[in-house]
Amino acid sequence: MLSEEKTDVESSEIRTDALLETVSDAEVNSRISFEEFTDERILISHDAFGNKQMKIKVLEVSDETPPSKWKFGDRVKVTKILVTIKHLTTQQVEEGEFDIEAIERELAEKRHYSSTNRWIPASDIKNGYVIGSKHTRLISDASALDYIAF
């Protein structure tokens, strides 16, 4: 009975290394099941004018345990991200790595507040990328400090 409970606990815990793994990191000969398939469109967000596309890759997550897991479900605290912005008119691509934790501290120090919520549901990270509806949650402080103009 104890061994069954132990395996249930282990299976319910989030594997952060699996969240950050992309499809290219997977084995070449393996097939993706329908449940594992991710449409590229849900990973991209657009600016208000439709001139730019943004995609955010999670580079590092904190090993901190989420508070109140029973209420919000499985979540991970994102520490570092790689933002890729594509200008649709010129096809120019810009990339930048951001330490969200450092930006959050800087904004709190300079402006005496922070708006970042770095806790992202584990189900909203697909193939190492954050889904488009969670992008503003991660880049709000960087935008406030004019690190990102999107």
Side-chain angles (χ1 to χ4, degrees):
M1 186 71 171
L2 182 62
S3 63
E4 290 177 13
E5 291 174 4
K6 186 176 180 182
T7 57
D8 290 340
V9 170
E10 288 173 357
S11 65
S12 68
E13 290 181 7
I14 303 171
R15 285 191 39 228
T16 56
D17 57 337
L19 288 174
L20 303 178
E21 185 177 287
T22 61
V23 174
S24 61
D25 295 337
E27 294 179 16
V28 176
N29 295 329
S30 67
R31 300 194 86 174
I32 297 175
S33 68
F34 181 74
E35 291 81 23
E36 294 173 340
F37 175 75
T38 303
D39 189 4
E40 187 78 13
R41 293 176 289 185
I42 67 168
L43 303 177
I44 296 173
S45 61
H46 300 274
D47 69 337
F49 300 111
N51 297 331
K52 299 176 187 176
Q53 291 180 340
M54 179 170 43
K55 197 171 179 182
I56 297 179
K57 180 175 175 71
V58 178
L59 297 178
E60 188 177 304
V61 293
S62 174
D63 57 354
E64 189 176 333
T65 57
S68 63
K69 180 180 176 181
W70 62 271
K71 186 175 183 181
F72 298 112
D74 289 332
R75 298 179 300 158
V76 293
K77 191 172 189 178
V78 177
T79 307
K80 290 185 181 180
I81 58 173
L82 177 69
V83 177
T84 306
I85 297 176
K86 181 179 180 181
H87 299 269
L88 297 176
T89 54
T90 62
Q91 298 300 314
Q92 179 186 0
V93 176
E94 299 178 61
E95 280 190 342
E97 185 176 320
F98 293 96
D99 185 352
I100 301 174
E101 193 171 18
I103 291 172
E104 184 178 19
R105 281 193 308 267
E106 182 182 347
L107 186 66
E109 185 178 297
K110 287 183 176 180
R111 309 256 173 95
H112 304 291
Y113 78 97
S114 175
S115 60
T116 300
N117 182 1
R118 296 184 290 132
W119 289 100
I120 301 291
S123 60
D124 289 346
I125 299 175
K126 308 282 186 188
N127 297 334
Y129 290 91
V130 179
I131 63 170
S133 61
K134 304 297 182 195
H135 287 178
T136 54
R137 175 184 271 193
L138 291 174
I139 66 161
S140 59
D141 285 350
S143 314
L145 291 172
D146 295 326
Y147 289 135
I148 296 177
F150 187 71

